[in-house]
Amino acid sequence: MDGMVHPLALGWGEHLTRDRRRSVHTVRAYQATAERLLDFLAEHWGERVDAARLARIDATDLRAFLAHRRGDGLGNVSAARELSAVRGFLGWASEGATTPRLRGPRVKKGVPRPVSPDEAVALARDVAEDASEPWIGARDWAVLMLLYGAGLRIGEALGLTASVLPLGDTLRVTGKRAKTRIVPLLPQVRGAIERYAEEVPWPLPREEALFRGAKGGPLSPGVVRRSVQGARGRLGLGERTTPHALRHSFATHLLGRGADLRALQELLGHASLSSTQVYTAVDAAYLLDVYRNAHPRAGS
């Protein structure tokens, strides 16, 4: 297209902005995916791609596109997100006609494992992008970032009141048995909450819930769980990818980076160290290295 955006990709972006009220970031990402597909198909088919030709796309064409994108270095999760965006585009371009069915790449099933950093971010982003309103997308992103980036339980995140605003470098969290703890806020997590607070259309009195549902009441955990369930289906992630799995991943990734078990116990709000020790099974090799370094004769 000689540097020009394809009319179909442009129309898709306008639809997302005007009719679906998606965020600028989401529109840019989805429009870029449509543009990649259209550029690929023009070369793959050797002809100009218009709406009529696009309506004849089949599963073989989609498989070829995914193989092409895999050649660009896309992993399973990124490829699944790309396919999800492509389905949305094709559904719009064909005005509701049946689009080719193609199962996305799936993450191998096996022993329980934490969600990888890439999967955690992809999951949160997919949930946010699928939201019906931009402010709801900002809300969902903030909640899931609290689970993955601060290790909160879903009930702890949804139990926060607006009194936490304005945010600082730490957050006081009330956990089980009404015990409070202080958790550090990464800049990305703090920024996500602040963006949500700017966009939420409801007033946020200090003593009322920070995170609101679509009609203004406190956000329900079930809403978050259903959103995550939808995203993991679109991304081909396993059934164990739940909101709580993000907290689990927070713990195992910190442990893998050298976090002390006692410090991790405090961050997670566990009453006993035994609750925290379950995470050591995920990174036993790392802990063995720590043990050997601490006790030079351990290996002898």
PDB file of all heavy atoms in Angstrom, residues 126-161:
ATOM      1  N   ASP A 126      -5.172  -8.948  27.295  1.00  0.00           N
ATOM      2  CA  ASP A 126      -6.320  -9.473  26.545  1.00  0.00           C
ATOM      3  C   ASP A 126      -7.622  -9.186  27.283  1.00  0.00           C
ATOM      4  O   ASP A 126      -8.621  -8.809  26.664  1.00  0.00           O
ATOM      5  CB  ASP A 126      -6.169 -10.980  26.327  1.00  0.00           C
ATOM      6  CG  ASP A 126      -7.152 -11.513  25.292  1.00  0.00           C
ATOM      7  OD1 ASP A 126      -6.813 -11.489  24.100  1.00  0.00           O
ATOM      8  OD2 ASP A 126      -8.258 -11.918  25.677  1.00  0.00           O
ATOM      9  N   VAL A 127      -7.613  -9.362  28.598  1.00  0.00           N
ATOM     10  CA  VAL A 127      -8.806  -9.052  29.398  1.00  0.00           C
ATOM     11  C   VAL A 127      -9.168  -7.581  29.234  1.00  0.00           C
ATOM     12  O   VAL A 127     -10.330  -7.217  29.022  1.00  0.00           O
ATOM     13  CB  VAL A 127      -8.570  -9.389  30.889  1.00  0.00           C
ATOM     14  CG1 VAL A 127      -9.682  -8.806  31.751  1.00  0.00           C
ATOM     15  CG2 VAL A 127      -8.511 -10.895  31.085  1.00  0.00           C
ATOM     16  N   ALA A 128      -8.157  -6.701  29.333  1.00  0.00           N
ATOM     17  CA  ALA A 128      -8.405  -5.259  29.232  1.00  0.00           C
ATOM     18  C   ALA A 128      -8.932  -4.879  27.851  1.00  0.00           C
ATOM     19  O   ALA A 128      -9.850  -4.071  27.717  1.00  0.00           O
ATOM     20  CB  ALA A 128      -7.120  -4.490  29.550  1.00  0.00           C
ATOM     21  N   GLU A 129      -8.355  -5.496  26.805  1.00  0.00           N
ATOM     22  CA  GLU A 129      -8.760  -5.143  25.449  1.00  0.00           C
ATOM     23  C   GLU A 129     -10.146  -5.666  25.095  1.00  0.00           C
ATOM     24  O   GLU A 129     -10.805  -5.139  24.207  1.00  0.00           O
ATOM     25  CB  GLU A 129      -7.720  -5.662  24.449  1.00  0.00           C
ATOM     26  CG  GLU A 129      -6.396  -4.908  24.532  1.00  0.00           C
ATOM     27  CD  GLU A 129      -5.343  -5.466  23.592  1.00  0.00           C
ATOM     28  OE1 GLU A 129      -5.597  -6.515  22.970  1.00  0.00           O
ATOM     29  OE2 GLU A 129      -4.269  -4.852  23.486  1.00  0.00           O
ATOM     30  N   ASP A 130     -10.592  -6.701  25.796  1.00  0.00           N
ATOM     31  CA  ASP A 130     -11.906  -7.277  25.508  1.00  0.00           C
ATOM     32  C   ASP A 130     -13.027  -6.557  26.265  1.00  0.00           C
ATOM     33  O   ASP A 130     -14.197  -6.849  26.063  1.00  0.00           O
ATOM     34  CB  ASP A 130     -11.919  -8.771  25.884  1.00  0.00           C
ATOM     35  CG  ASP A 130     -13.139  -9.496  25.332  1.00  0.00           C
ATOM     36  OD1 ASP A 130     -13.310  -9.502  24.098  1.00  0.00           O
ATOM     37  OD2 ASP A 130     -13.921 -10.036  26.135  1.00  0.00           O
ATOM     38  N   ALA A 131     -12.659  -5.617  27.122  1.00  0.00           N
ATOM     39  CA  ALA A 131     -13.657  -4.922  27.941  1.00  0.00           C
ATOM     40  C   ALA A 131     -14.598  -4.089  27.072  1.00  0.00           C
ATOM     41  O   ALA A 131     -14.234  -3.630  25.988  1.00  0.00           O
ATOM     42  CB  ALA A 131     -12.961  -4.021  28.963  1.00  0.00           C
ATOM     43  N   SER A 132     -15.823  -3.895  27.566  1.00  0.00           N
ATOM     44  CA  SER A 132     -16.845  -3.182  26.782  1.00  0.00           C
ATOM     45  C   SER A 132     -16.633  -1.678  26.779  1.00  0.00           C
ATOM     46  O   SER A 132     -17.146  -0.990  25.898  1.00  0.00           O
ATOM     47  CB  SER A 132     -18.238  -3.502  27.354  1.00  0.00           C
ATOM     48  OG  SER A 132     -18.310  -3.140  28.726  1.00  0.00           O
ATOM     49  N   GLU A 133     -15.903  -1.154  27.773  1.00  0.00           N
ATOM     50  CA  GLU A 133     -15.641   0.285  27.856  1.00  0.00           C
ATOM     51  C   GLU A 133     -14.166   0.494  28.173  1.00  0.00           C
ATOM     52  O   GLU A 133     -13.564  -0.312  28.894  1.00  0.00           O
ATOM     53  CB  GLU A 133     -16.486   0.926  28.966  1.00  0.00           C
ATOM     54  CG  GLU A 133     -17.983   0.807  28.795  1.00  0.00           C
ATOM     55  CD  GLU A 133     -18.533   1.889  27.876  1.00  0.00           C
ATOM     56  OE1 GLU A 133     -17.766   2.806  27.536  1.00  0.00           O
ATOM     57  OE2 GLU A 133     -19.708   1.797  27.497  1.00  0.00           O
ATOM     58  N   PRO A 134     -13.562   1.590  27.683  1.00  0.00           N
ATOM     59  CA  PRO A 134     -12.153   1.843  28.002  1.00  0.00           C
ATOM     60  C   PRO A 134     -11.863   1.883  29.499  1.00  0.00           C
ATOM     61  O   PRO A 134     -10.850   1.355  29.951  1.00  0.00           O
ATOM     62  CB  PRO A 134     -11.896   3.206  27.338  1.00  0.00           C
ATOM     63  CG  PRO A 134     -12.866   3.266  26.206  1.00  0.00           C
ATOM     64  CD  PRO A 134     -14.095   2.579  26.708  1.00  0.00           C
ATOM     65  N   TRP A 135     -12.764   2.482  30.293  1.00  0.00           N
ATOM     66  CA  TRP A 135     -12.486   2.573  31.724  1.00  0.00           C
ATOM     67  C   TRP A 135     -12.541   1.190  32.380  1.00  0.00           C
ATOM     68  O   TRP A 135     -11.804   0.923  33.341  1.00  0.00           O
ATOM     69  CB  TRP A 135     -13.459   3.540  32.416  1.00  0.00           C
ATOM     70  CG  TRP A 135     -14.849   3.027  32.695  1.00  0.00           C
ATOM     71  CD1 TRP A 135     -15.955   3.162  31.904  1.00  0.00           C
ATOM     72  CD2 TRP A 135     -15.281   2.288  33.856  1.00  0.00           C
ATOM     73  NE1 TRP A 135     -17.041   2.559  32.486  1.00  0.00           N
ATOM     74  CE2 TRP A 135     -16.667   2.022  33.685  1.00  0.00           C
ATOM     75  CE3 TRP A 135     -14.650   1.830  35.016  1.00  0.00           C
ATOM     76  CZ2 TRP A 135     -17.420   1.319  34.627  1.00  0.00           C
ATOM     77  CZ3 TRP A 135     -15.400   1.125  35.958  1.00  0.00           C
ATOM     78  CH2 TRP A 135     -16.766   0.885  35.764  1.00  0.00           C
ATOM     79  N   ILE A 136     -13.387   0.294  31.834  1.00  0.00           N
ATOM     80  CA  ILE A 136     -13.456  -1.068  32.363  1.00  0.00           C
ATOM     81  C   ILE A 136     -12.180  -1.822  32.006  1.00  0.00           C
ATOM     82  O   ILE A 136     -11.648  -2.610  32.801  1.00  0.00           O
ATOM     83  CB  ILE A 136     -14.705  -1.793  31.839  1.00  0.00           C
ATOM     84  CG1 ILE A 136     -15.967  -1.143  32.444  1.00  0.00           C
ATOM     85  CG2 ILE A 136     -14.666  -3.283  32.163  1.00  0.00           C
ATOM     86  CD1 ILE A 136     -17.277  -1.743  31.953  1.00  0.00           C
ATOM     87  N   GLY A 137     -11.654  -1.562  30.825  1.00  0.00           N
ATOM     88  CA  GLY A 137     -10.372  -2.151  30.453  1.00  0.00           C
ATOM     89  C   GLY A 137      -9.261  -1.678  31.376  1.00  0.00           C
ATOM     90  O   GLY A 137      -8.414  -2.472  31.807  1.00  0.00           O
ATOM     91  N   ALA A 138      -9.267  -0.382  31.694  1.00  0.00           N
ATOM     92  CA  ALA A 138      -8.260   0.160  32.615  1.00  0.00           C
ATOM     93  C   ALA A 138      -8.420  -0.458  34.000  1.00  0.00           C
ATOM     94  O   ALA A 138      -7.433  -0.746  34.691  1.00  0.00           O
ATOM     95  CB  ALA A 138      -8.397   1.685  32.690  1.00  0.00           C
ATOM     96  N   ARG A 139      -9.661  -0.673  34.423  1.00  0.00           N
ATOM     97  CA  ARG A 139      -9.934  -1.297  35.724  1.00  0.00           C
ATOM     98  C   ARG A 139      -9.408  -2.723  35.774  1.00  0.00           C
ATOM     99  O   ARG A 139      -8.706  -3.114  36.722  1.00  0.00           O
ATOM    100  CB  ARG A 139     -11.438  -1.301  35.967  1.00  0.00           C
ATOM    101  CG  ARG A 139     -11.879  -1.972  37.263  1.00  0.00           C
ATOM    102  CD  ARG A 139     -13.340  -2.399  37.188  1.00  0.00           C
ATOM    103  NE  ARG A 139     -13.547  -3.511  36.252  1.00  0.00           N
ATOM    104  CZ  ARG A 139     -14.743  -3.896  35.834  1.00  0.00           C
ATOM    105  NH1 ARG A 139     -15.833  -3.263  36.210  1.00  0.00           N
ATOM    106  NH2 ARG A 139     -14.846  -4.929  35.008  1.00  0.00           N
ATOM    107  N   ASP A 140      -9.730  -3.512  34.745  1.00  0.00           N
ATOM    108  CA  ASP A 140      -9.321  -4.911  34.733  1.00  0.00           C
ATOM    109  C   ASP A 140      -7.794  -5.039  34.691  1.00  0.00           C
ATOM    110  O   ASP A 140      -7.214  -5.909  35.345  1.00  0.00           O
ATOM    111  CB  ASP A 140      -9.947  -5.640  33.544  1.00  0.00           C
ATOM    112  CG  ASP A 140     -11.463  -5.764  33.681  1.00  0.00           C
ATOM    113  OD1 ASP A 140     -11.986  -5.491  34.779  1.00  0.00           O
ATOM    114  OD2 ASP A 140     -12.120  -6.119  32.685  1.00  0.00           O
ATOM    115  N   TRP A 141      -7.160  -4.179  33.918  1.00  0.00           N
ATOM    116  CA  TRP A 141      -5.696  -4.173  33.846  1.00  0.00           C
ATOM    117  C   TRP A 141      -5.115  -3.870  35.231  1.00  0.00           C
ATOM    118  O   TRP A 141      -4.183  -4.542  35.685  1.00  0.00           O
ATOM    119  CB  TRP A 141      -5.239  -3.148  32.820  1.00  0.00           C
ATOM    120  CG  TRP A 141      -3.755  -2.945  32.732  1.00  0.00           C
ATOM    121  CD1 TRP A 141      -3.025  -1.972  33.338  1.00  0.00           C
ATOM    122  CD2 TRP A 141      -2.823  -3.742  31.996  1.00  0.00           C
ATOM    123  NE1 TRP A 141      -1.694  -2.109  33.024  1.00  0.00           N
ATOM    124  CE2 TRP A 141      -1.541  -3.187  32.206  1.00  0.00           C
ATOM    125  CE3 TRP A 141      -2.949  -4.868  31.183  1.00  0.00           C
ATOM    126  CZ2 TRP A 141      -0.388  -3.725  31.627  1.00  0.00           C
ATOM    127  CZ3 TRP A 141      -1.783  -5.396  30.612  1.00  0.00           C
ATOM    128  CH2 TRP A 141      -0.526  -4.823  30.831  1.00  0.00           C
ATOM    129  N   ALA A 142      -5.674  -2.882  35.917  1.00  0.00           N
ATOM    130  CA  ALA A 142      -5.170  -2.504  37.245  1.00  0.00           C
ATOM    131  C   ALA A 142      -5.342  -3.639  38.251  1.00  0.00           C
ATOM    132  O   ALA A 142      -4.435  -3.939  39.034  1.00  0.00           O
ATOM    133  CB  ALA A 142      -5.877  -1.242  37.739  1.00  0.00           C
ATOM    134  N   VAL A 143      -6.513  -4.277  38.240  1.00  0.00           N
ATOM    135  CA  VAL A 143      -6.762  -5.374  39.186  1.00  0.00           C
ATOM    136  C   VAL A 143      -5.788  -6.524  38.952  1.00  0.00           C
ATOM    137  O   VAL A 143      -5.162  -7.033  39.894  1.00  0.00           O
ATOM    138  CB  VAL A 143      -8.216  -5.883  39.061  1.00  0.00           C
ATOM    139  CG1 VAL A 143      -8.397  -7.180  39.846  1.00  0.00           C
ATOM    140  CG2 VAL A 143      -9.193  -4.828  39.565  1.00  0.00           C
ATOM    141  N   LEU A 144      -5.614  -6.931  37.691  1.00  0.00           N
ATOM    142  CA  LEU A 144      -4.740  -8.068  37.401  1.00  0.00           C
ATOM    143  C   LEU A 144      -3.279  -7.721  37.646  1.00  0.00           C
ATOM    144  O   LEU A 144      -2.486  -8.588  38.037  1.00  0.00           O
ATOM    145  CB  LEU A 144      -4.961  -8.545  35.961  1.00  0.00           C
ATOM    146  CG  LEU A 144      -6.360  -9.113  35.696  1.00  0.00           C
ATOM    147  CD1 LEU A 144      -6.505  -9.539  34.239  1.00  0.00           C
ATOM    148  CD2 LEU A 144      -6.662 -10.293  36.615  1.00  0.00           C
ATOM    149  N   MET A 145      -2.902  -6.464  37.447  1.00  0.00           N
ATOM    150  CA  MET A 145      -1.539  -6.056  37.772  1.00  0.00           C
ATOM    151  C   MET A 145      -1.291  -6.082  39.273  1.00  0.00           C
ATOM    152  O   MET A 145      -0.177  -6.352  39.724  1.00  0.00           O
ATOM    153  CB  MET A 145      -1.252  -4.662  37.204  1.00  0.00           C
ATOM    154  CG  MET A 145      -1.009  -4.625  35.705  1.00  0.00           C
ATOM    155  SD  MET A 145       0.469  -5.557  35.176  1.00  0.00           S
ATOM    156  CE  MET A 145      -0.278  -7.103  34.618  1.00  0.00           C
ATOM    157  N   LEU A 146      -2.323  -5.819  40.070  1.00  0.00           N
ATOM    158  CA  LEU A 146      -2.175  -5.928  41.528  1.00  0.00           C
ATOM    159  C   LEU A 146      -1.943  -7.375  41.940  1.00  0.00           C
ATOM    160  O   LEU A 146      -1.169  -7.660  42.861  1.00  0.00           O
ATOM    161  CB  LEU A 146      -3.419  -5.383  42.238  1.00  0.00           C
ATOM    162  CG  LEU A 146      -3.440  -3.882  42.524  1.00  0.00           C
ATOM    163  CD1 LEU A 146      -4.818  -3.456  43.017  1.00  0.00           C
ATOM    164  CD2 LEU A 146      -2.377  -3.510  43.561  1.00  0.00           C
ATOM    165  N   LEU A 147      -2.604  -8.298  41.252  1.00  0.00           N
ATOM    166  CA  LEU A 147      -2.430  -9.714  41.572  1.00  0.00           C
ATOM    167  C   LEU A 147      -1.042 -10.192  41.167  1.00  0.00           C
ATOM    168  O   LEU A 147      -0.357 -10.861  41.945  1.00  0.00           O
ATOM    169  CB  LEU A 147      -3.495 -10.561  40.862  1.00  0.00           C
ATOM    170  CG  LEU A 147      -4.832 -10.765  41.573  1.00  0.00           C
ATOM    171  CD1 LEU A 147      -5.474  -9.458  41.992  1.00  0.00           C
ATOM    172  CD2 LEU A 147      -5.785 -11.571  40.691  1.00  0.00           C
ATOM    173  N   TYR A 148      -0.629  -9.841  39.944  1.00  0.00           N
ATOM    174  CA  TYR A 148       0.657 -10.328  39.442  1.00  0.00           C
ATOM    175  C   TYR A 148       1.834  -9.470  39.910  1.00  0.00           C
ATOM    176  O   TYR A 148       2.911  -9.991  40.196  1.00  0.00           O
ATOM    177  CB  TYR A 148       0.648 -10.388  37.916  1.00  0.00           C
ATOM    178  CG  TYR A 148       1.989 -10.797  37.357  1.00  0.00           C
ATOM    179  CD1 TYR A 148       2.504 -12.068  37.621  1.00  0.00           C
ATOM    180  CD2 TYR A 148       2.760  -9.920  36.606  1.00  0.00           C
ATOM    181  CE1 TYR A 148       3.747 -12.446  37.138  1.00  0.00           C
ATOM    182  CE2 TYR A 148       4.002 -10.286  36.119  1.00  0.00           C
ATOM    183  CZ  TYR A 148       4.499 -11.549  36.387  1.00  0.00           C
ATOM    184  OH  TYR A 148       5.741 -11.915  35.918  1.00  0.00           O
ATOM    185  N   GLY A 149       1.632  -8.167  39.981  1.00  0.00           N
ATOM    186  CA  GLY A 149       2.740  -7.262  40.297  1.00  0.00           C
ATOM    187  C   GLY A 149       2.898  -6.941  41.763  1.00  0.00           C
ATOM    188  O   GLY A 149       3.912  -6.361  42.168  1.00  0.00           O
ATOM    189  N   ALA A 150       1.893  -7.299  42.591  1.00  0.00           N
ATOM    190  CA  ALA A 150       1.988  -7.033  44.027  1.00  0.00           C
ATOM    191  C   ALA A 150       1.614  -8.246  44.868  1.00  0.00           C
ATOM    192  O   ALA A 150       1.713  -8.200  46.092  1.00  0.00           O
ATOM    193  CB  ALA A 150       1.102  -5.832  44.403  1.00  0.00           C
ATOM    194  N   GLY A 151       1.189  -9.323  44.215  1.00  0.00           N
ATOM    195  CA  GLY A 151       0.913 -10.561  44.937  1.00  0.00           C
ATOM    196  C   GLY A 151      -0.350 -10.554  45.764  1.00  0.00           C
ATOM    197  O   GLY A 151      -0.484 -11.343  46.702  1.00  0.00           O
ATOM    198  N   LEU A 152      -1.319  -9.693  45.444  1.00  0.00           N
ATOM    199  CA  LEU A 152      -2.544  -9.641  46.234  1.00  0.00           C
ATOM    200  C   LEU A 152      -3.474 -10.789  45.890  1.00  0.00           C
ATOM    201  O   LEU A 152      -3.474 -11.299  44.766  1.00  0.00           O
ATOM    202  CB  LEU A 152      -3.282  -8.314  45.993  1.00  0.00           C
ATOM    203  CG  LEU A 152      -2.917  -7.134  46.908  1.00  0.00           C
ATOM    204  CD1 LEU A 152      -1.451  -6.765  46.766  1.00  0.00           C
ATOM    205  CD2 LEU A 152      -3.811  -5.935  46.589  1.00  0.00           C
ATOM    206  N   ARG A 153      -4.263 -11.214  46.864  1.00  0.00           N
ATOM    207  CA  ARG A 153      -5.388 -12.103  46.597  1.00  0.00           C
ATOM    208  C   ARG A 153      -6.457 -11.264  45.904  1.00  0.00           C
ATOM    209  O   ARG A 153      -6.533 -10.048  46.101  1.00  0.00           O
ATOM    210  CB  ARG A 153      -5.951 -12.680  47.895  1.00  0.00           C
ATOM    211  CG  ARG A 153      -4.958 -13.494  48.725  1.00  0.00           C
ATOM    212  CD  ARG A 153      -5.593 -13.940  50.029  1.00  0.00           C
ATOM    213  NE  ARG A 153      -4.703 -14.775  50.829  1.00  0.00           N
ATOM    214  CZ  ARG A 153      -3.908 -14.317  51.792  1.00  0.00           C
ATOM    215  NH1 ARG A 153      -3.878 -13.018  52.078  1.00  0.00           N
ATOM    216  NH2 ARG A 153      -3.131 -15.148  52.478  1.00  0.00           N
ATOM    217  N   ILE A 154      -7.334 -11.915  45.139  1.00  0.00           N
ATOM    218  CA  ILE A 154      -8.363 -11.156  44.440  1.00  0.00           C
ATOM    219  C   ILE A 154      -9.265 -10.419  45.433  1.00  0.00           C
ATOM    220  O   ILE A 154      -9.663  -9.270  45.210  1.00  0.00           O
ATOM    221  CB  ILE A 154      -9.177 -12.059  43.481  1.00  0.00           C
ATOM    222  CG1 ILE A 154     -10.124 -11.213  42.633  1.00  0.00           C
ATOM    223  CG2 ILE A 154      -9.932 -13.140  44.242  1.00  0.00           C
ATOM    224  CD1 ILE A 154     -10.769 -11.987  41.500  1.00  0.00           C
ATOM    225  N   GLY A 155      -9.581 -11.064  46.556  1.00  0.00           N
ATOM    226  CA  GLY A 155     -10.408 -10.411  47.571  1.00  0.00           C
ATOM    227  C   GLY A 155      -9.730  -9.202  48.184  1.00  0.00           C
ATOM    228  O   GLY A 155     -10.392  -8.221  48.532  1.00  0.00           O
ATOM    229  N   GLU A 156      -8.407  -9.268  48.303  1.00  0.00           N
ATOM    230  CA  GLU A 156      -7.657  -8.128  48.856  1.00  0.00           C
ATOM    231  C   GLU A 156      -7.674  -6.949  47.890  1.00  0.00           C
ATOM    232  O   GLU A 156      -7.845  -5.793  48.301  1.00  0.00           O
ATOM    233  CB  GLU A 156      -6.225  -8.554  49.149  1.00  0.00           C
ATOM    234  CG  GLU A 156      -6.117  -9.562  50.285  1.00  0.00           C
ATOM    235  CD  GLU A 156      -4.726 -10.150  50.417  1.00  0.00           C
ATOM    236  OE1 GLU A 156      -3.899  -9.995  49.471  1.00  0.00           O
ATOM    237  OE2 GLU A 156      -4.449 -10.763  51.466  1.00  0.00           O
ATOM    238  N   ALA A 157      -7.505  -7.250  46.594  1.00  0.00           N
ATOM    239  CA  ALA A 157      -7.513  -6.180  45.591  1.00  0.00           C
ATOM    240  C   ALA A 157      -8.885  -5.502  45.542  1.00  0.00           C
ATOM    241  O   ALA A 157      -8.987  -4.268  45.519  1.00  0.00           O
ATOM    242  CB  ALA A 157      -7.145  -6.737  44.219  1.00  0.00           C
ATOM    243  N   LEU A 158      -9.947  -6.323  45.542  1.00  0.00           N
ATOM    244  CA  LEU A 158     -11.293  -5.761  45.436  1.00  0.00           C
ATOM    245  C   LEU A 158     -11.754  -5.163  46.762  1.00  0.00           C
ATOM    246  O   LEU A 158     -12.731  -4.416  46.796  1.00  0.00           O
ATOM    247  CB  LEU A 158     -12.281  -6.834  44.960  1.00  0.00           C
ATOM    248  CG  LEU A 158     -11.955  -7.462  43.606  1.00  0.00           C
ATOM    249  CD1 LEU A 158     -13.118  -8.317  43.125  1.00  0.00           C
ATOM    250  CD2 LEU A 158     -11.602  -6.415  42.566  1.00  0.00           C
ATOM    251  N   GLY A 159     -11.056  -5.477  47.848  1.00  0.00           N
ATOM    252  CA  GLY A 159     -11.384  -4.902  49.145  1.00  0.00           C
ATOM    253  C   GLY A 159     -10.753  -3.539  49.382  1.00  0.00           C
ATOM    254  O   GLY A 159     -11.055  -2.876  50.383  1.00  0.00           O
ATOM    255  N   LEU A 160      -9.894  -3.105  48.473  1.00  0.00           N
ATOM    256  CA  LEU A 160      -9.265  -1.787  48.619  1.00  0.00           C
ATOM    257  C   LEU A 160     -10.327  -0.698  48.512  1.00  0.00           C
ATOM    258  O   LEU A 160     -11.251  -0.786  47.697  1.00  0.00           O
ATOM    259  CB  LEU A 160      -8.207  -1.570  47.535  1.00  0.00           C
ATOM    260  CG  LEU A 160      -6.949  -2.445  47.591  1.00  0.00           C
ATOM    261  CD1 LEU A 160      -6.097  -2.205  46.350  1.00  0.00           C
ATOM    262  CD2 LEU A 160      -6.147  -2.155  48.857  1.00  0.00           C
ATOM    263  N   THR A 161     -10.180   0.336  49.327  1.00  0.00           N
ATOM    264  CA  THR A 161     -11.072   1.492  49.211  1.00  0.00           C
ATOM    265  C   THR A 161     -10.323   2.635  48.551  1.00  0.00           C
ATOM    266  O   THR A 161      -9.093   2.599  48.409  1.00  0.00           O
ATOM    267  CB  THR A 161     -11.572   1.943  50.596  1.00  0.00           C
ATOM    268  OG1 THR A 161     -10.455   2.436  51.351  1.00  0.00           O
ATOM    269  CG2 THR A 161     -12.247   0.791  51.343  1.00  0.00           C
TER     270      THR A 161
END
